[in-house]
Amino acid sequence: FGMNCAVAGASYFVYDYKLEPVILCILYSFLTSKVSDSILRGGKEQLKFEIITSDYDKMSREIMDKLHHGVTVLPAVGMYSGREMKMVVCIINKHQIAKLRNIIADYPGSFANVTQANEIFGNFKHIK
């Protein structure tokens, strides 16, 4: 997309200093890159949440009940405080971010790291 924008910007001089063809070219490049990305990814975007909390059992149950996703709990130690905590790992769909943020907000002292998960493999059971 960036390279296409550079070529479109250079074409400003070719089209006798007219902005309309340049803007249309940039718009076309943006739309085609977004559509091709969604086709290649299958339209699904997943996010991986790594949540550090001391109330891992309640939070895990709430995530499974409200979002219908499984969670993994790992041991974690805060190096600054030396406290033992747990890290709750959960992969959710992009449209569930607000629900998970609300769940995390209910547990003071908890925080999360969010990364984009490109692909998820496995034989998962659906939680109902």
Side-chain angles (χ1 to χ4, degrees):
F1 173 69
M3 290 174 49
N4 286 340
C5 287
V7 170
S11 70
Y12 173 73
F13 303 106
V14 174
Y15 288 113
D16 294 327
Y17 305 102
K18 292 181 182 175
L19 270 177
E20 185 177 322
V22 175
I23 291 172
L24 289 174
C25 181
I26 291 172
L27 181 64
Y28 172 77
S29 296
F30 176 76
L31 290 175
T32 55
S33 66
K34 282 295 184 184
V35 168
S36 64
D37 279 349
S38 66
I39 289 171
L40 289 173
R41 292 184 184 184
K44 295 182 181 180
E45 291 188 43
Q46 302 93 7
L47 298 172
K48 176 183 172 185
F49 273 77
E50 297 173 334
I51 308 162
I52 306 297
T53 184
S54 56
D55 294 324
Y56 67 94
D57 51 347
K58 293 178 188 174
M59 183 184 287
S60 299
R61 181 60 46 205
E62 193 171 350
I63 291 170
M64 289 189 291
D65 290 343
K66 291 184 178 179
L67 299 179
H68 308 291
H69 284 281
V71 299
T72 301
V73 177
L74 304 169
V77 177
M79 292 306 293
Y80 180 75
S81 66
R83 283 188 0 182
E84 290 192 16
M85 309 269 291
K86 298 289 183 181
M87 181 169 61
V88 176
V89 180
C90 181
I91 300 188
I92 63 167
N93 299 324
K94 196 171 185 177
H95 66 275
Q96 295 175 316
I97 294 173
K99 289 180 183 178
L100 188 52
R101 282 187 180 170
N102 290 337
I103 291 171
I104 295 169
D106 290 339
Y107 297 93
S110 300
F111 65 95
N113 175 37
V114 183
T115 56
Q116 187 170 355
N118 291 330
E119 290 188 47
I120 308 298
F121 296 106
N123 186 12
F124 304 104
K125 296 186 181 198
H126 297 290
I127 299 172
K128 295 179 182 172

